[in-house]
């Protein structure tokens, strides 16, 4: 059973930094895309950053130049380094991974979410 476990959220002041981690485990053959999404109160979930297993990345315009997504394939882990945080970054952040669990079996998996609050 595939599980994604996130860590690293919390309260930070504007201008500060946080680093999120998400480790995948259980029945994994290959992890393809890994990404971070976020959902603020009253808003739809939105993609923040994504990385493919060849190392390419893409970011939402709102976080370009401030957030960096990276992955450690040996540890099945994806990270999100968040710098110059703004109050509008406040949201629940979710880890996502597209994972091959069998020869022809793929699945989309989500973490449980971690709260990030940016406030003075």
């Amino acid at each position: 059973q595939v599980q994604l476990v996130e860590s690293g959220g919390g309260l930070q002041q504007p201008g500060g930094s946080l680093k999120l981690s998400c480790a995948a485990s259980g029945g994994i053959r290959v992890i393809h895309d890994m990404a971070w999404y976020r959902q603020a109160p009253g808003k739809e979930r939105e993609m923040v950053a994504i990385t493919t297993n060849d190392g390419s990345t893409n970011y939402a315009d709102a976080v370009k130049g401030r957030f960096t997504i990276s992955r450690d394939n040996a540890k099945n882990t994806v990270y999100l380094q968040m710098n110059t945080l703004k109050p509008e970054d406040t949201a629940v952040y979710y880890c996502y991974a597209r994972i091959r669990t069998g020869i022809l079996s793929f699945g989309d998996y989500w973490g449980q979410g971690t709260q990030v609050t940016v406030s003075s």
Side-chain angles (χ1 to χ4, degrees):
Q1 182 75 10
V2 174
Q3 285 189 319
L4 301 182
V5 179
E6 300 146 348
S7 60
L11 174 65
Q12 183 59 267
Q13 292 185 342
S17 297
L18 284 172
K19 186 173 183 177
L20 306 182
S21 301
C22 172
S25 62
I28 297 168
R29 287 206 175 193
V30 178
I31 301 180
H32 294 273
D33 296 348
M34 299 189 85
W36 290 95
Y37 285 71
R38 68 186 180 186
Q39 187 167 18
K43 295 187 177 182
E44 293 187 354
R45 190 174 298 190
E46 62 177 358
M47 193 275 289
V48 175
I50 188 167
T51 178
T52 62
N53 60 0
D54 66 358
S56 62
T57 59
N58 197 18
Y59 297 90
D61 288 343
V63 307
K64 281 181 181 176
R66 299 189 298 121
F67 291 9
T68 302
I69 190 170
S70 61
R71 62 193 284 173
D72 184 335
N73 290 329
K75 296 181 179 179
N76 291 335
T77 299
V78 64
Y79 305 96
L80 185 68
Q81 177 67 47
M82 304 185 292
N83 298 329
T84 318
L85 284 163
K86 302 177 180 180
E88 51 263 43
D89 294 320
T90 296
V92 178
Y93 283 70
Y94 296 91
C95 173
Y96 161 86
R98 181 149 178 85
I99 298 174
R100 183 156 67 94
T101 54
I103 296 175
L104 297 175
S105 300
F106 287 86
D108 296 316
Y109 298 90
W110 294 90
Q112 79 282 5
T114 185
Q115 177 70 46
V116 171
T117 302
V118 184
S119 175
S120 55

